[in-house]
Structures are given as structure tokens and as C-alpha cells.
Amino acid sequence: MNEDSNIRSQMRKGILEYCVLLLLSQEKAYPSDIINRLSQASLIVVEGTLYTLLNRLRKEGKLNYEWQESTMGPPRKYYFITPEGRQHLKEMSKAWDEIVETVNHFRNLTNTHLQ
């Protein structure tokens, strides 16, 4: 893995939980649907990584799931955000906004000096 790929990988790992909670705050979702929605936004995640995250968030009380019948096979586990998860998401959104503001401050300083 080259340095550029490693940088992207580390930054994406840092935002994966936030993006998953944002997705699940909109609607219940089956894990493969979550993976597809993330990949549509160029956030590529393998199943193992997602399942590990979903299980951790469920154990922390931020997510839960329900079984729904499927027309194409066995019942499916659909994840949804809990009230505790919504509170956590609000805190993450506040932290994200602060981080973006800080990074943009330094990017603007850098851009000013590069011109």
C-alpha cells in the first residue's frame, strides 16, 4: 500500500462510524445496503469491518436490529439507530463541525501563502 492509499485508509476509518450512524438515522438498513450506500459515496468498506462496527455499536446501545422477512431467502437483520445512538450522533456532528472549521482555517492559511 502506498503512502497516499494509507492516508486515505486512515482518514476513512476515522469517519466510518459517523457515516454509518448518519445513514441509519435516516432509515433502517440491511448491512449490504449500508455497504452499497457507502460505496456510492466512495467510502469502500468490507463486510468484516462493517459487521465489527455494527456489533460494537449495538453492544454500546447506539444501534439495534430487527428481523424482517425476505422474499429472496431467509429473514434479514435490519439495523436502526437508538435514542442513545441519536445523542451520540449529535455529539459526533458537533465534533465534526469543529474539526472541519479547524482544518479549513489552516487550509485557508496555507492557500493564502501558496498564492
Side-chain angles (χ1 to χ4, degrees):
M1 181 182 296
N2 65 31
E3 186 174 343
D4 187 45
S5 297
N6 190 42
I7 290 169
R8 282 192 179 96
S9 174
Q10 292 302 313
M11 292 178 92
R12 286 179 176 158
K13 283 179 188 175
I15 63 168
L16 179 59
E17 178 177 335
Y18 184 42
C19 291
V20 168
L21 288 172
L22 285 168
L23 281 173
L24 293 175
S25 72
Q26 301 300 311
E27 61 185 355
K28 296 175 188 174
Y30 182 64
S32 64
D33 296 332
I34 296 170
I35 289 171
N36 289 338
R37 300 264 314 271
L38 293 170
S39 68
Q40 288 171 358
S42 299
L43 184 57
I44 307 303
V45 179
V46 296
E47 274 188 25
T49 300
L50 179 63
Y51 278 107
T52 299
L53 175 62
L54 293 173
N55 286 327
R56 179 177 60 79
L57 292 172
R58 187 186 55 77
K59 286 178 184 174
E60 293 173 355
K62 295 170 184 148
L63 294 181
N64 209 338
Y65 63 82
E66 66 182 22
W67 291 98
Q68 291 185 4
E69 291 298 322
S70 171
T71 57
M72 302 167 70
R76 292 179 168 188
K77 193 184 284 188
Y78 281 79
Y79 286 84
F80 61 91
I81 194 167
T82 63
E84 185 178 334
R86 287 193 186 279
Q87 182 58 40
H88 183 67
L89 179 57
K90 285 181 189 176
E91 293 166 11
M92 290 185 85
S93 290
K94 182 179 180 204
W96 177 258
D97 291 343
E98 291 170 359
I99 290 167
V100 167
E101 186 176 320
T102 300
V103 169
N104 283 339
H105 169 80
F106 287 107
R107 287 182 74 188
N108 290 336
L109 287 176
T110 302
N111 290 338
T112 301
H113 289 103
L114 292 176
Q115 294 174 356

Coordinates of all heavy atoms in Angstrom, one line a residue, residues 41-95:
A41 N -20.7 6.7 -2.1 CA -20.1 7.9 -1.7 C -18.6 7.7 -1.7 O -17.8 8.5 -1.1 CB -20.6 8.3 -0.3
S42 N -18.1 6.7 -2.4 CA -16.6 6.4 -2.5 C -16.0 6.0 -1.1 O -14.8 6.3 -1.0 CB -15.9 7.6 -3.1 OG -16.4 7.8 -4.4
L43 N -16.8 5.5 -0.2 CA -16.2 5.0 1.0 C -16.4 3.5 1.0 O -17.4 2.9 1.3 CB -17.0 5.6 2.2 CG -16.5 5.3 3.6 CD1 -15.1 5.7 3.8 CD2 -17.4 6.0 4.7
I44 N -15.3 2.9 0.6 CA -15.3 1.4 0.3 C -15.0 0.7 1.7 O -14.0 1.0 2.3 CB -14.2 1.0 -0.7 CG1 -14.4 1.8 -2.0 CG2 -14.3 -0.5 -1.0 CD1 -15.8 1.7 -2.6
V45 N -15.9 -0.2 2.0 CA -15.8 -0.9 3.3 C -16.1 -2.4 3.0 O -17.0 -2.7 2.3 CB -16.9 -0.4 4.3 CG1 -16.8 -1.1 5.6 CG2 -16.7 1.1 4.5
V46 N -15.3 -3.3 3.6 CA -15.5 -4.7 3.5 C -16.5 -5.1 4.6 O -16.7 -4.5 5.6 CB -14.2 -5.5 3.6 CG1 -13.3 -5.2 2.4 CG2 -13.5 -5.3 4.9
E47 N -17.2 -6.3 4.3 CA -18.2 -6.8 5.2 C -17.7 -6.9 6.6 O -18.4 -6.6 7.6 CB -18.8 -8.1 4.7 CG -19.9 -7.9 3.7 CD -20.6 -9.3 3.4 OE1 -20.5 -10.2 4.2 OE2 -21.1 -9.4 2.3
G48 N -16.5 -7.5 6.8 CA -16.0 -7.8 8.1 C -15.8 -6.5 8.9 O -16.2 -6.5 10.1
T49 N -15.4 -5.5 8.3 CA -15.2 -4.2 9.0 C -16.6 -3.6 9.4 O -16.7 -3.2 10.6 CB -14.5 -3.2 8.1 OG1 -13.2 -3.7 7.8 CG2 -14.3 -1.8 8.8
L50 N -17.5 -3.7 8.5 CA -18.8 -3.2 8.9 C -19.5 -4.0 10.0 O -20.0 -3.4 10.9 CB -19.7 -3.2 7.6 CG -21.2 -2.6 7.9 CD1 -21.1 -1.2 8.4 CD2 -22.0 -2.8 6.7
Y51 N -19.5 -5.3 9.9 CA -20.1 -6.1 10.9 C -19.5 -5.9 12.3 O -20.2 -5.9 13.3 CB -20.1 -7.6 10.5 CG -21.2 -8.0 9.6 CD1 -20.9 -8.3 8.2 CD2 -22.5 -8.1 10.0 CE1 -21.9 -8.6 7.4 CE2 -23.5 -8.4 9.1 CZ -23.2 -8.7 7.8 OH -24.2 -9.0 7.0
T52 N -18.2 -5.8 12.3 CA -17.5 -5.5 13.6 C -18.0 -4.2 14.2 O -18.3 -4.1 15.4 CB -16.0 -5.4 13.4 OG1 -15.5 -6.7 12.9 CG2 -15.2 -5.1 14.7
L53 N -18.1 -3.1 13.3 CA -18.6 -1.8 13.8 C -20.1 -1.9 14.2 O -20.4 -1.4 15.3 CB -18.5 -0.8 12.7 CG -19.1 0.6 12.9 CD1 -18.3 1.2 14.1 CD2 -19.0 1.5 11.7
L54 N -20.9 -2.6 13.5 CA -22.3 -2.7 13.8 C -22.5 -3.4 15.2 O -23.3 -3.0 16.0 CB -23.1 -3.4 12.7 CG -23.2 -2.7 11.4 CD1 -23.9 -3.6 10.3 CD2 -24.0 -1.4 11.5
N55 N -21.7 -4.5 15.3 CA -21.8 -5.2 16.6 C -21.3 -4.4 17.8 O -21.9 -4.4 18.9 CB -21.0 -6.5 16.5 CG -21.7 -7.6 15.7 OD1 -23.0 -7.6 15.7 ND2 -21.0 -8.4 15.0
R56 N -20.3 -3.7 17.6 CA -19.8 -2.8 18.7 C -20.8 -1.7 19.0 O -21.1 -1.5 20.2 CB -18.5 -2.1 18.3 CG -17.9 -1.2 19.4 CD -16.6 -0.6 19.1 NE -16.6 0.2 17.9 CZ -17.0 1.5 17.8 NH1 -17.6 2.1 18.8 NH2 -16.9 2.1 16.7
L57 N -21.4 -1.1 18.0 CA -22.4 0.0 18.3 C -23.6 -0.6 18.9 O -24.3 0.0 19.8 CB -22.7 0.7 17.0 CG -21.6 1.6 16.4 CD1 -22.0 2.1 15.0 CD2 -21.3 2.7 17.3
R58 N -24.0 -1.8 18.6 CA -25.1 -2.5 19.2 C -24.8 -2.8 20.7 O -25.7 -2.5 21.5 CB -25.5 -3.8 18.5 CG -26.8 -4.4 19.0 CD -27.1 -5.7 18.3 NE -26.0 -6.7 18.5 CZ -25.7 -7.4 19.6 NH1 -26.4 -7.2 20.7 NH2 -24.7 -8.2 19.6
K59 N -23.7 -3.3 21.0 CA -23.3 -3.6 22.3 C -23.2 -2.3 23.2 O -23.5 -2.3 24.4 CB -21.9 -4.3 22.4 CG -22.0 -5.7 21.9 CD -20.7 -6.4 22.0 CE -20.7 -7.8 21.4 NZ -19.4 -8.4 21.2
E60 N -22.9 -1.2 22.6 CA -22.9 0.1 23.2 C -24.2 0.7 23.4 O -24.4 1.8 24.0 CB -21.9 1.1 22.5 CG -20.5 0.6 22.6 CD -19.6 1.5 21.7 OE1 -20.1 2.4 20.9 OE2 -18.3 1.3 21.7
G61 N -25.3 0.1 22.8 CA -26.6 0.6 22.9 C -26.9 1.7 21.9 O -28.0 2.3 22.0
K62 N -26.1 1.9 20.9 CA -26.3 3.0 19.9 C -27.1 2.5 18.7 O -27.7 3.3 18.0 CB -24.9 3.6 19.5 CG -24.2 4.3 20.7 CD -22.8 4.6 20.3 CE -22.2 5.2 21.6 NZ -20.8 4.9 21.7
L63 N -27.1 1.2 18.5 CA -27.8 0.6 17.4 C -28.6 -0.6 18.0 O -28.2 -1.1 19.0 CB -26.9 0.1 16.3 CG -26.1 1.1 15.5 CD1 -25.3 0.3 14.4 CD2 -27.0 2.1 14.8
N64 N -29.6 -1.0 17.2 CA -30.3 -2.2 17.5 C -30.7 -2.8 16.1 O -30.4 -2.2 15.1 CB -31.5 -2.0 18.4 CG -31.8 -3.3 19.2 OD1 -31.3 -4.4 18.9 ND2 -32.5 -3.1 20.3
Y65 N -31.3 -3.9 16.1 CA -31.7 -4.5 14.9 C -33.0 -5.2 15.1 O -33.5 -5.5 16.2 CB -30.7 -5.5 14.3 CG -30.4 -6.7 15.2 CD1 -31.2 -7.8 15.1 CD2 -29.3 -6.7 16.0 CE1 -31.0 -8.9 15.9 CE2 -29.0 -7.8 16.8 CZ -29.9 -8.9 16.7 OH -29.6 -10.0 17.5
E66 N -33.7 -5.5 13.9 CA -34.9 -6.3 13.9 C -34.8 -7.2 12.7 O -34.2 -6.9 11.7 CB -36.2 -5.4 13.9 CG -36.3 -4.6 12.6 CD -37.6 -3.7 12.7 OE1 -38.1 -3.4 13.8 OE2 -38.0 -3.3 11.6
W67 N -35.5 -8.4 12.8 CA -35.5 -9.3 11.7 C -36.7 -9.0 10.9 O -37.8 -8.7 11.4 CB -35.7 -10.7 12.3 CG -34.4 -11.2 12.9 CD1 -34.2 -11.3 14.3 CD2 -33.2 -11.8 12.3 NE1 -32.9 -11.8 14.6 CE2 -32.3 -12.1 13.4 CE3 -32.9 -12.0 11.0 CZ2 -31.1 -12.6 13.1 CZ3 -31.6 -12.5 10.8 CH2 -30.7 -12.8 11.8
Q68 N -36.5 -9.0 9.6 CA -37.6 -8.8 8.6 C -37.6 -9.9 7.6 O -36.5 -10.3 7.1 CB -37.5 -7.4 7.9 CG -37.7 -6.2 8.8 CD -37.7 -4.9 8.0 OE1 -37.6 -4.9 6.8 NE2 -37.7 -3.8 8.7
E69 N -38.8 -10.4 7.3 CA -38.9 -11.4 6.3 C -38.4 -10.9 4.9 O -38.5 -9.7 4.6 CB -40.3 -11.9 6.1 CG -40.9 -12.6 7.3 CD -40.1 -13.9 7.6 OE1 -39.8 -14.6 6.6 OE2 -39.9 -14.2 8.8
S70 N -37.8 -11.8 4.2 CA -37.3 -11.5 2.9 C -38.0 -12.4 1.8 O -38.2 -13.5 2.0 CB -35.8 -11.8 2.8 OG -35.3 -11.7 1.5
T71 N -38.2 -11.8 0.7 CA -38.8 -12.5 -0.5 C -37.8 -13.3 -1.2 O -38.1 -14.2 -2.0 CB -39.5 -11.5 -1.5 OG1 -38.5 -10.6 -1.9 CG2 -40.6 -10.8 -0.8
M72 N -36.5 -13.1 -0.9 CA -35.4 -13.7 -1.6 C -34.5 -14.5 -0.6 O -33.3 -14.4 -0.6 CB -34.5 -12.7 -2.3 CG -35.3 -11.9 -3.3 SD -34.5 -10.4 -3.8 CE -33.2 -11.1 -4.8
G73 N -35.2 -15.3 0.3 CA -34.4 -16.2 1.2 C -34.8 -16.0 2.6 O -35.9 -15.6 2.9
P74 N -33.8 -16.3 3.5 CA -34.1 -16.2 5.0 C -34.4 -14.8 5.4 O -34.1 -13.8 4.7 CB -32.9 -16.8 5.6 CG -31.8 -16.5 4.6 CD -32.4 -16.6 3.3
P75 N -34.9 -14.6 6.6 CA -35.1 -13.3 7.2 C -33.8 -12.5 7.3 O -32.8 -13.1 7.4 CB -35.7 -13.5 8.6 CG -36.2 -14.9 8.6 CD -35.4 -15.7 7.5
R76 N -33.9 -11.2 7.2 CA -32.7 -10.3 7.2 C -32.7 -9.5 8.5 O -33.8 -9.1 8.9 CB -32.7 -9.4 6.0 CG -32.5 -10.2 4.7 CD -32.5 -9.2 3.6 NE -32.0 -9.8 2.3 CZ -31.8 -9.2 1.2 NH1 -32.0 -7.9 1.2 NH2 -31.3 -9.8 0.2
K77 N -31.5 -9.2 8.9 CA -31.3 -8.3 10.1 C -31.2 -6.9 9.6 O -30.2 -6.6 8.9 CB -30.1 -8.8 10.8 CG -29.9 -8.3 12.2 CD -28.6 -8.7 12.8 CE -28.6 -10.1 13.3 NZ -27.4 -10.5 14.1
Y78 N -32.1 -6.0 10.0 CA -32.1 -4.6 9.6 C -31.7 -3.8 10.9 O -32.3 -3.9 11.9 CB -33.4 -4.2 9.1 CG -33.6 -4.5 7.7 CD1 -34.0 -5.8 7.3 CD2 -33.4 -3.6 6.7 CE1 -34.2 -6.2 6.0 CE2 -33.6 -4.0 5.3 CZ -34.0 -5.3 5.0 OH -34.2 -5.6 3.7
Y79 N -30.7 -3.0 10.7 CA -30.2 -2.2 11.8 C -30.9 -0.8 11.8 O -31.2 -0.3 10.8 CB -28.7 -2.0 11.7 CG -27.9 -3.3 12.1 CD1 -27.7 -4.3 11.1 CD2 -27.4 -3.4 13.3 CE1 -27.0 -5.4 11.4 CE2 -26.7 -4.6 13.7 CZ -26.5 -5.6 12.7 OH -25.9 -6.7 13.1
F80 N -31.0 -0.3 13.0 CA -31.5 1.1 13.2 C -30.9 1.7 14.4 O -30.4 1.1 15.3 CB -33.1 1.0 13.3 CG -33.6 0.3 14.5 CD1 -33.8 0.9 15.7 CD2 -33.8 -1.1 14.4 CE1 -34.3 0.1 16.8 CE2 -34.3 -1.8 15.5 CZ -34.5 -1.2 16.7
I81 N -30.9 3.0 14.4 CA -30.3 3.8 15.4 C -31.3 3.9 16.6 O -32.5 4.0 16.4 CB -29.9 5.2 14.9 CG1 -28.9 5.9 15.8 CG2 -31.1 6.1 14.5 CD1 -28.2 7.1 15.2
T82 N -30.7 3.9 17.8 CA -31.5 4.0 19.1 C -31.4 5.5 19.5 O -30.7 6.3 19.0 CB -30.9 3.2 20.2 OG1 -29.6 3.6 20.5 CG2 -30.8 1.7 19.7
P83 N -32.3 5.8 20.5 CA -32.2 7.2 21.1 C -30.8 7.5 21.6 O -30.3 8.6 21.4 CB -33.2 7.2 22.2 CG -34.2 6.2 21.7 CD -33.4 5.1 21.1
E84 N -30.1 6.6 22.2 CA -28.7 6.8 22.7 C -27.8 7.0 21.5 O -26.9 7.9 21.5 CB -28.3 5.6 23.5 CG -26.9 5.8 24.1 CD -26.4 4.6 24.9 OE1 -27.3 3.9 25.5 OE2 -25.2 4.4 25.0
G85 N -28.0 6.3 20.4 CA -27.3 6.5 19.2 C -27.5 7.8 18.6 O -26.6 8.5 18.0
R86 N -28.7 8.3 18.6 CA -29.0 9.7 18.1 C -28.3 10.7 18.9 O -27.8 11.7 18.3 CB -30.5 10.0 18.1 CG -31.2 9.2 17.0 CD -32.7 9.7 16.8 NE -33.3 8.8 15.8 CZ -33.2 8.9 14.5 NH1 -32.4 9.8 14.0 NH2 -33.8 8.1 13.7
Q87 N -28.2 10.6 20.2 CA -27.5 11.5 21.0 C -26.0 11.5 20.7 O -25.4 12.5 20.6 CB -27.7 11.2 22.5 CG -27.0 12.2 23.5 CD -27.5 13.6 23.2 OE1 -28.6 13.9 23.0 NE2 -26.5 14.5 23.3
H88 N -25.5 10.3 20.5 CA -24.1 10.1 20.2 C -23.8 10.8 18.8 O -22.8 11.4 18.6 CB -23.7 8.6 20.1 CG -22.3 8.3 19.8 ND1 -21.3 8.7 20.7 CD2 -21.7 7.7 18.8 CE1 -20.1 8.3 20.2 NE2 -20.4 7.7 19.0
L89 N -24.7 10.6 17.9 CA -24.6 11.2 16.5 C -24.6 12.7 16.6 O -23.8 13.4 16.0 CB -25.8 10.7 15.6 CG -25.8 11.3 14.2 CD1 -24.5 11.0 13.5 CD2 -27.0 10.7 13.5
K90 N -25.4 13.3 17.5 CA -25.4 14.8 17.7 C -24.0 15.2 18.2 O -23.5 16.2 17.7 CB -26.5 15.2 18.7 CG -27.9 15.2 18.2 CD -28.9 15.6 19.2 CE -30.3 15.4 18.8 NZ -31.2 15.8 19.8
E91 N -23.5 14.5 19.1 CA -22.1 14.8 19.7 C -21.1 14.7 18.6 O -20.2 15.5 18.5 CB -21.8 13.9 20.9 CG -22.7 14.2 22.1 CD -22.7 13.1 23.1 OE1 -21.8 12.2 23.1 OE2 -23.5 13.1 24.0
M92 N -21.2 13.6 17.8 CA -20.2 13.4 16.7 C -20.4 14.5 15.7 O -19.4 15.0 15.1 CB -20.4 12.1 16.0 CG -20.0 10.9 16.9 SD -20.2 9.3 16.0 CE -18.6 9.3 15.2
S93 N -21.6 15.0 15.4 CA -21.8 16.0 14.4 C -21.2 17.3 14.9 O -20.5 18.1 14.1 CB -23.3 16.2 14.1 OG -23.8 15.2 13.4
K94 N -21.3 17.6 16.2 CA -20.7 18.8 16.7 C -19.2 18.7 16.6 O -18.5 19.7 16.2 CB -21.2 19.0 18.2 CG -20.6 20.2 18.9 CD -21.1 20.3 20.3 CE -20.5 21.6 20.9 NZ -20.4 21.6 22.3
A95 N -18.6 17.6 17.0 CA -17.2 17.4 16.9 C -16.7 17.5 15.4 O -15.7 18.1 15.2 CB -16.8 16.0 17.5

